[in-house]
Amino acid sequence: MAQQAYMTETDDNGGSGPEPRGARIRRLIGTLLGRAFGGWRGDPRIWRRGLVLTGFALAFSLVMLVHSRIPNRYGNLGSLTETFLPWIGVFVPVLLVLALVRRSATALIAVVLPAVVWLNLFGGLLGDKTGGGGDLTVATHNVNADNPDPSGTARDVAESEADVLALEELTDSAAPVYEKALAATYKYHSVQGTVGLWSKYPLSAVKPVDIKLGWTRAMRATVATPQGQVAVYVAHLPSVRVKLQAGFTARQRDKSADALGEAIADEPLPRVILLGDLNGTMNDRSLNAVTSQMRSTQGAAGSGFGFSWPASFPMARIDQIMVKDVDPVTSWTLPRTGSDHLPVAARVKVTTS
């Protein structure tokens, strides 16, 4: 029986021996596709089924196409949508599977539209744009006021070998712990309110930046790098909340973003680096005062989306490194610390043309 089965198989291939592996794979794929779509032929309902799925596909496409026109008048719905806009892409394969299950040709065709729109918006972030070289490494981390291990967090971020390090959400009790733990790595530092800057290069013209809060959550300093002076800003914009009755409460954050944007626009030095927790993504129109005049290192030289919050399951990049008249070379996310945010870092080239 075994010999007969073998002879039958070889006869199918013209007596040339066992079926090649590639041919077996193609035959298997053909069989699966035949089973999946074979029952569709002659079924007039394939165009009438799946109208609800088609509606969802068109709705997701519309949201991505006109997200900038979704009003913020009611619960900052526009900003909330833009914060999590990339996640709409998760629904595309779900709709595809459901369309196949429902055997709906209409839904299958409709799913193509959100897939194309999503790729047009975010496809550029899927590739690896990281490069080599650069002459300055910077990092930023919201260390979390309730961090149970500030000294361990300080050691973790110091291992990033950043030349310039920004920390946000420093408390009066934890700030001395960070200063002590980072003293051996960074010769120069300054803490202004709840934000701080550590540097291997001299700092000057250090001052708080007024972002209309009534207390200090932003600062500015000149860093004397070997390639020249760079203005470095550290900022921690107010937190936002998603409430059932109030929606996406971000009015104070938006006001502070405008003030930060004005300070950066008035900066006399041409080279500027912004480090901090902006509590918003690059897609959020409410941060336009800042994002319109600076480049995201992750968007320009990162790999993937670089989500930084929450650390347990990152869903958005609200911790930002932005540059002006400085070239991003590479950008990445650092390993988790005792904070609810992930640290982010970037390598940049200060010697721009």
Side-chain angles (χ1 to χ4, degrees):
M1 291 297 293
Q3 184 178 5
Q4 182 179 359
Y6 178 77
M7 292 298 293
T8 301
E9 184 177 358
T10 56
D11 287 344
D12 292 340
N13 289 278
S16 58
E19 184 180 15
R21 182 179 179 183
R24 290 200 303 270
I25 294 176
R26 288 193 296 271
R27 181 164 55 82
L28 178 60
I29 293 175
T31 301
L32 293 176
L33 290 176
R35 291 178 179 176
F37 296 101
W40 293 36
R41 290 188 295 241
D43 184 357
R45 294 178 299 170
I46 63 173
W47 299 104
R48 296 197 297 267
R49 285 194 295 258
L51 295 183
V52 173
L53 296 177
T54 301
F56 275 114
L58 296 177
F60 289 144
S61 302
L62 186 63
V63 169
M64 289 187 288
L65 284 170
V66 301
H67 66 87
S68 62
R69 297 183 179 273
I70 299 175
N72 264 340
R73 186 179 308 166
Y74 305 104
N76 281 298
L77 182 60
S79 289
L80 177 60
T81 301
E82 289 167 336
T83 297
F84 299 103
L85 194 63
W87 287 95
I88 292 181
V90 172
F91 295 101
V92 173
V94 174
L95 290 174
L96 176 61
V97 171
L98 291 177
L100 290 172
V101 171
R102 287 286 292 149
R103 295 189 176 186
S104 168
T106 304
L108 275 177
I109 295 173
V111 169
V112 174
L113 182 58
V116 171
V117 174
W118 189 92
L119 287 172
N120 181 61
L121 289 174
F122 304 109
L125 294 174
L126 298 179
D128 187 352
K129 299 181 290 296
T130 59
D135 43 41
L136 185 71
T137 301
V138 297
T140 181
H141 189 26
N142 180 327
V143 296
N144 187 1
D146 297 323
N147 192 320
D149 184 20
S151 59
T153 296
R155 290 192 299 271
D156 290 340
V157 293
E159 290 178 357
S160 68
E161 299 183 353
D163 301 305
V164 178
L165 170 67
L167 299 182
E168 303 85 47
E169 211 163 293
L170 297 171
T171 63
D172 291 338
S173 58
V177 179
Y178 288 103
E179 291 174 328
K180 181 179 180 181
L182 295 171
T185 305
Y186 299 97
K187 185 177 180 180
Y188 309 95
H189 87 279
S190 175
V191 174
Q192 303 287 324
T194 61
V195 297
L197 185 66
W198 279 258
S199 174
K200 295 179 181 179
Y201 306 120
L203 301 177
S204 62
V206 179
K207 63 179 182 180
V209 175
D210 182 12
I211 55 173
K212 312 302 181 184
L213 282 176
W215 68 96
T216 302
R217 283 177 50 148
M219 63 178 290
R220 178 256 183 230
T222 298
V223 180
T225 75
Q227 292 74 33
Q229 292 186 333
V230 179
V232 176
Y233 284 76
V234 183
H236 182 196
L237 297 187
S239 300
V240 298
R241 298 287 185 271
V242 180
K243 299 179 180 179
L244 183 62
Q245 295 180 340
F248 192 59
T249 57
R251 182 175 300 176
Q252 186 59 62
R253 190 276 313 265
D254 300 347
K255 182 180 178 182
S256 294
D258 291 340
L260 178 61
E262 291 177 7
I264 294 173
D266 294 337
E267 171 58 48
L269 291 179
R271 297 166 176 165
V272 183
I273 298 176
L274 170 62
L275 307 168
D277 173 8
L278 302 190
N279 272 306
T281 68
M282 293 295 294
N283 296 317
D284 192 336
R285 78 195 69 169
S286 296
L287 300 184
N288 279 351
V290 176
T291 58
S292 62
Q293 57 181 319
M294 306 192 79
R295 300 172 67 193
S296 164
T297 59
Q298 182 66 27
S303 177
F305 290 93
F307 294 147
S308 64
W309 178 88
S312 57
F313 187 81
M315 298 183 64
R317 185 180 178 89
I318 63 176
D319 301 276
Q320 305 289 354
I321 299 177
M322 299 185 198
V323 296
K324 182 179 180 181
D325 285 340
V326 174
D327 287 337
V329 173
T330 184
S331 187
W332 67 97
T333 305
L334 295 170
R336 185 177 181 181
T337 70
S339 172
D340 57 342
H341 292 243
L342 294 179
V344 296
R347 182 80 174 165
V348 300
K349 186 178 180 181
V350 178
T351 54
T352 55
S353 59

